[in-house]
Amino acid sequence: MHLITKKRTAAFCIDFAISTAVTFGVEKLLRKKVKNEAVHALITPTLVMWSLEYAQLKASGTTVGYLSTGLVLENEREGKPTSKQIIKRMAYRDLISGIDYWKDRKGFTQENGAIMPHDRYSGTVVKEVESSCSRCE
């Protein structure tokens, strides 16, 4: 496994943990108002994760997980990703990417892990950035 792929996996785990904590808080608020269990099991976690990721990527081109692992998401022209690119990337990754993995596993290892199928579809690329933290090394 390539270094960027390992960093992307670690970043996703960090972002997922943060999203899970926020989801628990949101569910506590929604439990009294929404009685449908499917909303709490399917819709709320997805909506919270996508909202957090979208807000972070739109504001700075990185998430907490990406920032802590030294990664940044850019569009192909080396700028911040557009709203459309962020939404396309999240939707493709969460809805279609699993099927792609079973069909073409090599597509997930191209470009040393910097461009995965959902990045290719949305026109984005993940790059490593130099750490400015002297204690992190």
Side-chain angles (χ1 to χ4, degrees):
M1 187 183 288
H2 300 290
L3 181 61
I4 293 178
T5 306
K6 289 178 183 179
K7 285 184 172 186
R8 287 176 78 146
T9 302
F12 181 79
C13 290
I14 292 167
D15 291 336
F16 185 74
I18 292 168
S19 174
T20 301
V22 172
T23 299
F24 283 134
V26 169
E27 280 187 9
K28 283 200 174 267
L29 296 173
L30 290 178
R31 283 265 175 220
K32 295 175 184 172
K33 295 181 181 185
V34 180
K35 301 296 181 191
N36 189 343
E37 199 60 36
V39 170
H40 298 296
L42 300 172
I43 296 171
T44 304
T46 303
L47 190 60
V48 167
M49 186 169 185
W50 282 20
S51 298
L52 288 173
E53 184 175 358
Y54 177 83
Q56 292 175 69
L57 289 174
K58 188 66 180 163
S60 63
T62 187
T63 64
V64 173
Y66 273 32
L67 187 63
S68 64
T69 57
L71 298 174
V72 66
L73 181 73
E74 295 180 346
N75 68 26
E76 291 174 334
R77 295 183 206 109
E78 297 189 11
K80 284 186 184 177
T82 64
S83 298
K84 185 176 178 180
Q85 285 178 312
I86 294 168
I87 292 169
K88 284 173 69 173
R89 182 178 187 273
M90 290 186 304
Y92 193 93
R93 181 195 62 216
D94 291 349
L95 303 174
I96 300 170
S97 199
I99 297 167
D100 273 354
Y101 182 75
W102 291 108
K103 288 167 58 177
D104 178 28
R105 292 181 187 188
K106 293 187 191 271
F108 285 79
T109 60
Q110 294 175 347
E111 310 278 339
N112 293 330
I115 300 176
M116 291 191 173
H118 52 275
D119 295 316
R120 198 171 299 111
Y121 177 74
S122 64
T124 58
V125 63
V126 174
K127 294 183 178 179
E128 289 183 285
V129 292
E130 293 296 320
S131 175
S132 61
C133 175
S134 59
R135 296 180 311 203
C136 298
E137 297 172 1

